[in-house]
Amino acid sequence: MKEGWEAVIGLEVHAQLRTESKIFCGCSTAFGDEPNANTCPVCLGLPGALPVLNRRVVEYAAQAALALGLRINTESIFSRKNYFYPDLPKGYQISQYDRPFSEHGAVEAPTTERDEAGHPQEWRLKHFGITRAHIEEDAGKSVHDIGDPGKSYVNLNRSGTPLLEIVSEPDFRSSWEAYDYVGFLRRTLQYIGVCDGNMEEGSLRCDANVSVRRTGAEKFGTKAEIKNLNSLRFLQRAIDYEIDRQIALIEAGGEVVQETRLWNEREAKTYSMRSKEDAHDYRYFPEPDLPPLEVAAEWVETVRAGLPELPEARRRRFIGEYGLSVDDAFTLTGQRELADYYEAVVKASGNSRAAANWVLSELLRELKSGGIDITGSKVRAEHLGALIKLIEDSTISGKIAKDVFADMVATGKAPEEIVREKGLVQITDLGAIEKIVAEVIAANPKQLEAYRAGKTALLGFFVGQVMKASGGKANPQAVNEILKAHLEAEGR
Amino acid sequence: MPITQTEVEKIAELANLELTPEEKDSFSLQLAAIIDYIDQLNEVDTSQTKAWQQRSAGDAIISAVTRNDDAAPSLGAERALENAPDPDEGHFRVPRVIGG
């Protein structure tokens, strides 16, 4: 950011709650179905249709609120937010206004600035306040790229999909802080299973309120709201663009206008929506078709007790308990199933470092190349743990273990079975190794001479030959020692 | 309470209505009368009154009426679009709007 300036950013995140049916009717929430197929009088806004609240929405909202440190109000009220838009069939959105579902939350999220190439600088934990999280329904979708270019097309399948709107305090000072916070929210919501976090499909959407002020100034500048941010990268880039735009505008003697802007990724610019801002009078009033939402305090405690360990807590535990680096712990706790898998490998192997190495390098590489995630892995955690044990007790060498692992990936078999079938048990019988060493030395007189003349780097060559002769099964440490002894003893 | 011409115009705009000058005059009087009527409610002390008096009993979790998260059959696209004035390509077709 330009010297002498500070950005102030607040974020509104809309998270689609992962229910089977919509918030106020039984229509399916499936993504990608035939347009307008999943609609009924309630979500079409037909006269006389009445909403009935989906209780799972309340359960999911409660889990999310507690995971984000929010206080759940024992009574919250649904309100109508009135505005005209073709994708809003009732002419109002059922939302919550002056008495939201939950308030006064905060998270401690890891964040870092990045260099030009996007590489993290120094991770630190930052406190981000969350003003409120309330329950509301989604609108339909306007489509502009089919049929008549002079028209818009409305698909109401999304109308009435349950959302949790999570409103932050203006606690962000850079685009990367916003990026890390939204990523943190997304991981958390995915972790507890209330939102699939798919930004491309719109399951998680983000609006950013951006303003700038001179460093040291107390008063906030005029903010612009950027909408249409459907990826973390867009969010980050749009905020950076908007910060630069506002600073340039003010330095040129202009003034920031309070308005809604859209991010255009292709042109890497934000655009004014040029809507009449004075028309943004939503005339909220209590929804007469829905009673206040009352939640018993004991029930809230039941929900709290049922929450899994959250990713940030788990990450810290992985660092403390398993001696992992911050980065490794970060990757391993990024997905709940992956973290569970890792812990199962630790349990089966008794070696947390080796478990981390195998999962992070070998397993994740295999999964990535196969285009699957951990839940589709053929290699069971207990099997990977057993493989690590086989290396530790010298049954097989690390090199053979990689071959065994490749077989495990392909077949899903237990490592012991593969080792037995293929006769891969490591040769630890010193006599057998000595025999191979003697043969290898005898077969390579030139190299032997060179070694004796001082080219001790040839040890690697001899090790390689012995390993090859043993089919990779000789214990490398024993090979090293025996070879050295032979090469040097015979030289004298 | 009198309702000014400007207020009538703003309400009309928010409701997407175009009013003639005569309508603005008559609505300004009518709206004022309606609000006066409703204002009588202010004479009642509602500080102890709940926003919603009717409750469904015996539910420890949520007192409001709720439904289970079970997907039920929908109308389907064909029926949903049956009364649409200008359907096309399985969608409601409307004058072009920009943005979201």
Side-chain angles (χ1 to χ4, degrees), chain A residues 1 7 9 11 109-124 126 128 171-184 232-240 243:
Chain A
M1 194 173 320
I9 303 153
L11 296 166
T111 182
T112 175
E113 295 305 302
R114 270 81 165 175
D115 63 18
E116 304 256 301
H119 296 304
Q121 306 292 295
E122 198 182 336
W123 289 97
R124 67 207 156 88
K126 190 171 170 186
F128 298 115
D171 283 352
F172 308 90
R173 294 291 171 271
S174 77
S175 62
W176 289 113
E177 287 185 1
Y179 177 96
D180 289 326
Y181 162 83
V182 177
F184 179 89
L232 288 180
R233 195 71 184 121
F234 293 178
L235 166 78
Q236 187 269 326
R237 287 160 55 103
I239 291 173
D240 267 356
I243 291 170

Side-chain angles (χ1 to χ4, degrees), chain A residues 153-174:
Chain A
Y153 290 73
V154 179
N155 175 358
L156 294 178
N157 280 351
R158 207 179 62 186
S159 165
T161 296
L163 299 178
L164 189 70
E165 177 173 339
I166 304 160
V167 183
S168 84
E169 293 289 312
D171 283 352
F172 308 90
R173 294 291 171 271
S174 77

Side-chain angles (χ1 to χ4, degrees), chain B residues 21-99:
Chain B
E22 296 76 38
E23 283 172 329
K24 285 179 194 170
D25 284 342
S26 68
F27 286 149
S28 124
L29 292 172
Q30 287 179 19
L31 284 171
I34 292 167
I35 288 184
D36 279 345
Y37 181 72
I38 300 291
D39 265 350
Q40 291 180 60
L41 284 174
N42 286 339
E43 291 161 24
V44 185
D45 176 13
T46 55
S47 57
Q48 302 302 310
T49 310
K50 289 256 184 189
W52 185 278
Q53 291 287 9
Q54 191 182 336
R55 291 280 154 74
S56 67
D59 192 329
I61 299 174
I62 306 151
S63 73
V65 179
T66 55
R67 40 172 279 272
N68 288 328
D69 182 29
D70 299 323
S74 298
L75 283 184
E78 201 179 316
R79 289 200 66 200
L81 292 163
E82 216 165 43
N83 293 319
D86 186 24
D88 186 36
E89 308 222 14
H91 288 73
F92 296 88
R93 184 161 64 177
V94 297
R96 188 167 176 85
V97 287
I98 301 293

Side-chain angles (χ1 to χ4, degrees), chain A residues 2-18:
Chain A
K2 198 162 181 190
E3 195 79 15
W5 288 91
E6 180 181 60
V8 177
I9 303 153
L11 296 166
E12 289 168 20
V13 172
H14 289 87
Q16 183 180 324
L17 299 173
R18 233 195 49 198

